[in-house]
Amino acid sequence: MNSTTTGASSNSTTAFISLCVQIPLLSINILLGFPTHSYVLWLIITGNGFATEFFNLNHSFCEIGICVDFLIFLLSSYISSLLPLALFFQGLSITGRPLFQCLICVERYLAVVHPVTFLKYKPLRYRVICCTAAWLFTLSSCLACLIIILLSSIVVHAWFFSIQFLLYLPIQFFCLVAVLRALKQSGPGERKREKEDENQMKRRAFNVILITTVSMAITYMPATISGIYTFLTQQYNVIFWIPSMLSYVLAGFVQPVLYLHRAGKLSCLCS
């Protein structure tokens, strides 16, 4: 009896601490993330670079979906019937965000390392094809998240979460290293002005890939460690996942801030 009472008390304390952390974090992501990504969407749609920023457009749209998922998750505490919908939209967090970040990095990689190929596939229709495939894969991940949680266990879900990060991050590291190597090399016989312009373009691409890769590592590295720990121990500890949630929410603001900085909408950073 004493053991059972102690275990129940420990579980209730853990759940209380988890809620005290989750609710503020999710609320911050909803209150700040939704207007920020909506503003980015408005800038891209009304601006002149719709085709060139098409991947950023889809990334911001995915982030808005994540904010909606967090809102549904909070509401599911009061309306239990909303929980399956919240579980379904988890695929946006697990697959959508890193997938569109990879597309952004691959685009910068092609522009620097393979400019002929980049110009060949520069038209909007190729970006639409890539984003359509990405959305289909993301929706498949959403369905898989719902099925895994409802029919299996949280341990399998942690494995599903971790394995995807281990697939996406090497792609970004490859793009990062390739652009860095191209930045150190200069073509023979180039004029000084042309060489400076090309190096500036390469540096911008390198900075975009570097920031995106670092933000993705901050986003998913703690979650991957937590997922591997959960899979190996076959136990789910809510407290152990709190740092993962903190890093995920904070890193989600990196990409829109990066775009707003490039668009000249953050005067304090641009100065």
Side-chain angles (χ1 to χ4, degrees):
M1 178 65 71
N2 291 335
S3 176
T4 304
T5 304
T6 303
S9 177
S10 176
N11 291 335
S12 61
T13 303
T14 301
F16 177 76
I17 295 175
S18 176
L19 287 177
C20 290
V21 175
Q22 286 182 4
I23 292 177
L25 283 177
L26 298 183
S27 301
I28 290 173
N29 190 86
I30 295 169
L31 295 176
L32 297 181
F34 187 82
T36 302
H37 289 288
S38 299
Y39 183 50
V40 171
L41 282 178
W42 182 80
L43 289 176
I44 295 176
I45 294 174
T46 59
N48 297 324
F50 179 80
T52 57
E53 300 292 345
F54 192 71
F55 289 145
N56 278 311
L57 175 74
N58 284 267
H59 177 266
S60 294
F61 189 75
C62 178
E63 291 290 340
I64 291 177
I66 293 175
C67 294
V68 173
D69 179 44
F70 287 167
L71 178 61
I72 295 175
F73 180 78
L74 291 177
L75 294 176
S76 65
S77 301
Y78 306 96
I79 307 175
S80 59
S81 59
L82 293 177
L83 184 58
L85 186 61
L87 297 176
F88 175 81
F89 282 118
Q90 274 191 351
L92 297 176
S93 304
I94 296 175
T95 304
R97 177 189 283 185
L99 186 55
F100 287 113
Q101 286 179 342
C102 280
L103 288 177
I104 293 173
C105 290
V106 171
E107 182 185 38
R108 300 301 194 278
Y109 159 77
L110 291 176
V112 173
V113 182
H114 302 287
V116 177
T117 304
F118 173 75
L119 293 175
K120 180 180 179 181
Y121 294 102
K122 189 177 181 180
L124 180 61
R125 64 177 179 271
Y126 295 108
R127 291 183 171 90
V128 172
I129 293 174
C130 291
C131 289
T132 301
W135 279 114
L136 290 175
F137 191 69
T138 301
L139 292 177
S140 300
S141 177
C142 292
L143 184 61
C145 288
L146 180 62
I147 295 175
I148 288 173
I149 292 294
L150 294 181
L151 300 182
S152 187
S153 66
I154 193 66
V155 176
V156 180
H157 182 263
W159 174 85
F160 178 72
F161 185 98
S162 302
I163 199 67
Q164 290 204 54
F165 170 75
L166 297 177
L167 291 176
Y168 291 127
L169 190 61
I171 298 175
Q172 296 201 19
F173 276 129
F174 171 79
C175 296
L176 182 68
V177 173
V179 173
L180 179 61
R181 291 182 59 186
L183 183 62
K184 293 182 177 181
Q185 298 174 356
S186 59
E190 293 179 342
R191 295 180 181 179
K192 184 177 180 181
R193 181 61 179 274
E194 293 177 351
K195 186 186 299 184
E196 291 177 354
D197 293 340
E198 182 182 358
N199 287 337
Q200 186 177 6
M201 183 269 293
K202 290 179 180 179
R203 288 190 186 95
R204 285 198 299 265
F206 176 76
N207 290 335
V208 170
I209 297 177
L210 176 62
I211 295 174
T212 305
T213 304
V214 171
S215 67
M216 187 173 176
I218 295 174
T219 303
Y220 289 102
M221 187 63 75
T224 302
I225 296 174
S226 301
I228 294 175
Y229 173 81
T230 303
F231 181 75
L232 293 177
T233 60
Q234 298 292 307
Q235 294 179 356
Y236 177 75
N237 190 345
V238 178
I239 302 297
F240 196 70
W241 285 85
I242 290 178
S244 306
M245 182 175 295
L246 177 63
S247 62
Y248 186 90
V249 171
L250 295 180
F253 296 103
V254 172
Q255 203 66 31
V257 170
L258 177 63
Y259 175 81
L260 293 176
H261 173 56
R262 290 191 291 111
K265 300 301 180 180
L266 298 177
S267 58
C268 58
L269 294 179
C270 293
S271 61

